[in-house]
Amino acid sequence: MNYKAELILKTDSILTEGPSWDEDKKLLYWVDIEDKKVHIFDPQRSVDKEIKVDQYVGAAVPTRSGELLLAMKNGFYFLNVEDGRLTFICNPENDKPYNRFNDGKCDCMGRFFAGTMSLNETDPTGALYCLEKDMTIRKVLENVTISNGIAWSPDNKTMYYIDSPTKRVDAFDYDPKTGNVSNRRTVIVIEEGVPDGMTSDSEGMLWIAHWGGWQVSRWDPYRGKKIASVKLPVEKVSSCVFGGVDLDELYITTARKGDVKNQPYAGSIFVVKTGIKGVPTYKYCR
Ligand code: BGC
Ligand code: CA
């Protein structure tokens, strides 16, 4: 099955990434990692607002108290969206100036998971962390190269995770009470490009962005089978998230990196009406 994507926001952003959906405000948050910007997009009014920050920003997620939680070059921060003020929380990688934070997402209990990568994209110096609700930090995985997509099954008993260069999606048993992961195994192998951001839907299927693969694909993680694809006019597809009033629209981010001469929409955001409800973006809750 093939879905058709529509352009919803034309941007000249370089590394358009990390989309998350605010169900209460009906807003899409996204980041331009390399241009150091957090964006707030209102799809109903077609208005996009940007907030400049002072470092690379890998992910921006909503919180219960209204500010955004950011995973940046130098750790975790709260961002006040009214005045742009940043409040530092902590940096688990003070000793690793050659790393930055990349993708991040909250679990159903309101914990924030976010991972790091080496700026050179090849050294396995990254890790996956969990910022607990009491704002303590815990290392979840080590020896990661490019920490990317994170998603949970609708029953929250499985966590899915992508370290992009492995070209795999791995699954873990997940305990929402403790936030612990165990029993790592590979459930999907990607051949077209490398897997980047990912989200899950209410049927337990995964939607995976193909960096270098011109598409987002829908997979059945129980059978390891690709079941649908959304082709895009951009080579480097970076991430996706469900949004819209009924949570059945998939918002897709793309990057304007490398040779994009024949890709006028590289860096832009697309949307697909899937007719399938997504798993919601959970908010950080302290
Ligand atoms: C990172 C990029 C990287 C890409 C492909 C993205 O999430 O931000 O720097 O090249 O994944 O692995
Ligand atoms: Ca990513």
Side-chain angles (χ1 to χ4, degrees):
M1 161 148 202
N2 283 315
Y3 290 94
K4 222 180 122 36
E6 266 170 61
L7 180 72
I8 186 145
L9 180 65
K10 169 99 169 73
T11 88
D12 288 330
S13 275
I14 306 163
L15 188 44
T16 305
E17 263 278 14
S20 61
W21 178 253
D22 190 321
E23 264 200 288
D24 302 319
K25 299 183 182 151
K26 312 291 179 217
L27 296 173
L28 183 81
Y29 305 116
W30 59 278
V31 294
D32 183 346
I33 299 181
E34 295 185 0
D35 228 8
K36 307 175 182 169
K37 283 173 185 159
V38 175
H39 288 253
I40 303 174
F41 177 54
D42 179 341
Q44 274 162 330
R45 292 168 48 230
S46 278
V47 177
D48 185 62
K49 168 182 157 185
E50 65 176 46
I51 302 174
K52 182 89 181 162
V53 289
D54 59 358
Q55 349 171 350
Y56 287 152
V57 51
V61 298
T63 69
R64 291 262 177 91
S65 41
E67 67 267 72
L68 294 182
L69 172 57
L70 310 184
M72 300 222 279
K73 166 78 182 66
N74 301 325
F76 298 111
Y77 292 76
F78 288 119
L79 171 67
N80 181 319
V81 293
E82 306 302 326
D83 60 13
R85 205 161 30 86
L86 290 169
T87 308
F88 177 67
I89 304 167
C90 63
N91 184 7
E93 295 201 340
N94 258 328
D95 56 335
K96 292 185 176 158
Y98 43 84
N99 275 6
R100 68 162 169 87
F101 269 94
N102 199 35
D103 211 339
K105 190 174 284 175
C106 288
D107 78 350
C108 62
M109 307 298 281
R111 301 179 186 95
F112 183 49
F113 284 76
T116 57
M117 57 179 268
S118 159
L119 291 168
N120 71 21
E121 306 204 351
T122 50
D123 296 336
T125 52
L128 178 68
Y129 297 92
C130 174
L131 181 70
E132 301 284 0
K133 290 143 64 91
D134 64 4
M135 299 208 274
T136 56
I137 187 124
R138 171 167 61 95
K139 192 185 271 186
V140 180
L141 298 171
E142 286 183 315
N143 302 318
V144 174
T145 306
I146 301 182
S147 191
N148 254 318
I150 308 166
W152 285 268
S153 58
D155 66 4
N156 300 299
K157 288 183 178 154
T158 307
M159 184 177 104
Y160 298 102
Y161 179 67
I162 291 170
D163 177 358
S164 292
T166 66
K167 296 188 141 222
R168 306 187 320 244
V169 179
D170 286 354
F172 297 84
D173 295 343
Y174 189 70
D175 182 351
K177 279 205 200 76
T178 60
N180 286 334
V181 298
S182 59
N183 186 25
R184 185 173 189 159
R185 68 261 179 201
T186 297
V187 290
I188 291 168
V189 178
I190 295 287
E191 278 157 11
E192 297 148 292
V194 298
D196 194 330
M198 155 175 72
T199 194
S200 49
D201 66 36
S202 55
E203 296 173 1
M205 303 295 120
L206 297 175
W207 296 75
I208 301 166
H210 292 236
W211 180 271
W214 306 88
Q215 67 191 291
V216 164
S217 55
R218 184 177 188 233
W219 287 74
D220 178 341
Y222 302 96
R223 295 183 300 139
K225 285 247 160 15
K226 182 176 176 179
I227 47 185
S229 165
V230 187
K231 293 276 179 329
L232 293 149
V234 182
E235 183 187 3
K236 292 183 169 126
V237 184
S238 54
S239 191
C240 56
V241 70
F242 278 94
V245 181
D246 297 319
L247 207 62
D248 62 354
E249 296 170 2
L250 189 74
Y251 288 85
I252 301 170
T253 54
T254 65
R256 190 163 58 81
K257 298 223 2 156
D259 179 5
V260 292
K261 267 201 313 290
N262 300 316
Q263 300 174 44
Y265 299 112
S268 293
I269 299 182
F270 296 82
V271 70
V272 190
K273 264 263 172 213
T274 64
I276 304 162
K277 256 191 194 310
V279 161
T281 296
Y282 298 113
K283 293 185 163 125
Y284 180 69
C285 165
R286 56 168 148 150

